């Protein structure tokens, strides 16, 4: 098999020798399948993927319980600047709101297999912090607008 990375094989390798690739995936837990004309894929041992899902579910349930029993969600909110240094640009209430939204998105990822929401929550909050980090951009964003700016394009 031709591969430059120990945990990656080409799509051609998978096509030519699926048994060897499957054995590698079972041994390593996951193998990246690279493809010249398409996004890379992963071949994962099902038991490892099940364990990963259970781990995510346990972590999300733990965070939900912490927040449920601590109305201020003090510990997770205090940890946010270490995980996401850019939260320092947010108002004092925004890190808590971000924490709650993130934990809910992690719960959706664990319980409903909806993974994209977590990254959307992080990207949205990071974009807010980016604007607030630049006083000129923040002032411009806060200015009142008037008129019709035309149709809104929505991409799916």
């Amino acid at each position: 098999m031709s591969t430059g990375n120990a945990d990656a094989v080409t799509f051609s390798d998978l096509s030519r020798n699926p048994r060897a690739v499957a054995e590698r995936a079972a041994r390593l837990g996951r193998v990246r399948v690279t493809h010249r004309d398409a996004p890379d894929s992963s071949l994962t041992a099902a038991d490892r993927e099940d364990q990963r899902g259970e781990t995510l579910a346990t972590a999300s349930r733990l965070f939900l319980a912490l927040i449920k029993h601590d109305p201020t969600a003090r510990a997770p909110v205090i940890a946010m600047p270490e995980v996401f240094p850019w939260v320092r640009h947010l108002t004092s209430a925004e890190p808590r709101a971000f924490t709650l939204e993130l934990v809910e998105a992690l719960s959706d990822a664990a319980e409903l297999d909806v993974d994209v929401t977590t990254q959307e929550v992080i990207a949205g909050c990071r974009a807010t912090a980016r604007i607030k980090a630049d006083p000129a951009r923040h002032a411009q964003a806060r200015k009142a607008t008037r008129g019709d700016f035309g149709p809104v394009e929505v991409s799916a």
Side-chain angles (χ1 to χ4, degrees):
M1 281 182 264
S2 61
T3 178
N5 187 344
D7 62 350
V9 297
T10 65
F11 186 78
S12 298
D13 292 334
L14 177 60
S15 298
R16 281 192 301 263
N17 198 346
R19 181 182 301 243
V21 173
E23 288 171 358
R24 179 182 276 182
R27 187 176 68 253
L28 297 175
R30 176 179 312 207
V31 172
R32 177 180 292 266
V33 180
T34 61
H35 195 289
R36 186 176 350 154
D37 301 322
D40 291 355
S41 301
S42 290
L43 184 61
T44 306
D47 62 337
R48 287 284 288 269
E49 191 61 27
D50 292 343
Q51 289 171 353
R52 184 178 301 269
E54 284 300 314
T55 299
L56 178 59
T58 300
S60 74
R61 288 178 187 140
L62 174 65
F63 281 111
L64 280 172
L66 285 170
I67 289 172
K68 180 180 176 183
H69 294 291
D70 178 5
T72 63
R74 189 169 164 77
V77 172
I78 289 171
M80 291 307 266
E82 190 170 324
V83 179
F84 303 104
W86 42 261
V87 301
R88 71 182 181 278
H89 298 289
L90 302 176
T91 66
S92 61
E94 287 173 322
R96 175 172 163 58
F98 172 50
T99 302
L100 292 173
E101 192 174 0
L102 181 60
V103 168
E104 289 171 347
L106 289 169
S107 176
D108 288 347
E111 306 294 340
L112 304 173
D113 284 334
V114 178
D115 293 320
V116 68
T117 308
T118 302
Q119 297 310 312
E120 288 174 351
V121 167
I122 294 168
C125 196
R126 182 184 296 126
T128 299
R130 185 177 296 121
I131 296 256
K132 290 183 174 186
D134 182 341
R137 287 176 71 192
H138 188 232
Q140 180 66 28
R142 294 181 50 89
K143 285 186 179 178
T145 60
R146 282 191 220 151
D148 184 354
F149 293 98
V152 175
E153 294 183 25
V154 178
S155 60

